[in-house]
Amino acid sequence: MKKFNILILAAGRGRRLGNKTLKNPKPLMNFKEKYLLDYQFDVYKKFQNIKIHMVLGYQAKKIQSHLKDKKIKTFINQDFKKTNMYYSFLKAKSLLNQKRDLVVVYGDIIFKKKIFDKLIKDNSNIGVCVDKNYLSYWKKRMKDPLKDLETMLIKNQFIVQLGKKPSTYKEIQGQYMGLIKFSYKKFDQIKKIIKSINIKNNHYKNLYFTDFIQVLIDNNIKAKAVKVSGNWQEFDKPKDFKIDNYS
């Protein structure tokens, strides 16, 4: 059985939820009377040989209080107000020194066990969960999905481009979910690329995680599209708590 580190990125406030995150950070908001974060924990506890880590920022102490009975290491992004996902990931880059595959997951999504199981069983250097039937879900979320969706171009099972603003649905062959696995065998190469990004890009602190994946792809590290259909959900706006793509 492979050994895994799980890194949950949960530093941001979730501004698109407005005042709803004033009382609790997004991972501790309820969906069907259960914290978003606990949906993830209920999946992870069904697997062996995993260690869970989190990057925190907004209301970090509240989340740490929720974690007090769990063996979870936390990293802090003090600059969460003016940085993005890639910078939060850098706070835990020490995990790239371990001989454990690394699963990076956004703290505002939930998913069924079968999705996580499919991801960790994939043997590619990078596996990116992609919802192939995204459109029916996005139509429940908003009137004009194209304004919110991102590009995803796939060739022979591997991602060629992701994370851009599409002009047509032809540029979307699936939707990025925020659930990614990295093989430890590529960590040395990934660390070199990270060093290069941080030197050459003056705005690296504001990069999205999809930007980072695209740079890896452009540097000849293949990223496989691990295709799923439904049984997951992200929580970005108040309406997301009123629909169900998870069940």
Side-chain angles (χ1 to χ4, degrees), residues 20 27 38 55 65 73 80 85 97 103 105 109-110 128 136 142 146 162-163 176 191 213 229 236:
K20 292 186 179 297
D38 288 342
V55 181
S65 178
K73 180 176 180 179
F80 67 89
M85 287 282 200
N97 297 324
V103 176
V105 54
I109 67 170
I110 62 176
V128 180
S136 60
M142 56 198 68
L146 201 59
L162 78 165
Y176 174 83
K191 285 187 287 185
I213 296 172
S229 180
D236 198 36

Side-chain angles (χ1 to χ4, degrees), residues 5 7 53 73-75 88-100 102 187 191 194:
N5 280 318
L7 179 62
H53 313 260
K73 180 176 180 179
T74 59
F75 304 87
S88 286
F89 169 73
L90 293 182
K91 293 298 178 180
K93 66 180 179 180
S94 59
L95 297 178
L96 297 177
N97 297 324
Q98 300 182 23
K99 285 191 174 182
R100 286 174 168 263
L102 175 63
F187 283 178
K191 285 187 287 185
I194 288 173

Side-chain angles (χ1 to χ4, degrees), residues 151-165:
T151 59
M152 172 67 67
L153 299 178
I154 301 167
K155 184 177 181 180
N156 297 327
Q157 297 187 324
F158 291 95
I159 297 169
V160 177
Q161 186 202 84
L162 78 165
K164 306 298 182 184
K165 285 295 180 184

Side-chain angles (χ1 to χ4, degrees), residues 196-212:
S196 176
I197 292 172
N198 298 352
I199 291 172
K200 295 179 180 179
N201 191 328
N202 294 330
H203 304 288
Y204 74 90
K205 293 183 179 181
N206 299 116
L207 293 177
Y208 295 102
F209 206 72
T210 48
D211 295 326
F212 174 53

Side-chain angles (χ1 to χ4, degrees), residues 122-178:
D122 184 80
N123 291 320
S124 54
N125 291 323
I126 302 177
V128 180
C129 279
V130 173
D131 188 350
K132 61 184 180 181
N133 292 324
Y134 67 92
L135 190 54
S136 60
Y137 171 37
W138 250 259
K139 284 182 176 179
K140 295 177 185 177
R141 302 179 70 197
M142 56 198 68
K143 290 182 179 180
D144 187 0
L146 201 59
K147 289 184 178 180
D148 185 71
L149 290 164
E150 298 178 342
T151 59
M152 172 67 67
L153 299 178
I154 301 167
K155 184 177 181 180
N156 297 327
Q157 297 187 324
F158 291 95
I159 297 169
V160 177
Q161 186 202 84
L162 78 165
K164 306 298 182 184
K165 285 295 180 184
S167 55
T168 70
Y169 285 106
K170 290 182 179 180
E171 298 174 88
I172 311 170
Q173 296 173 342
Q175 195 58 203
Y176 174 83
M177 295 165 50

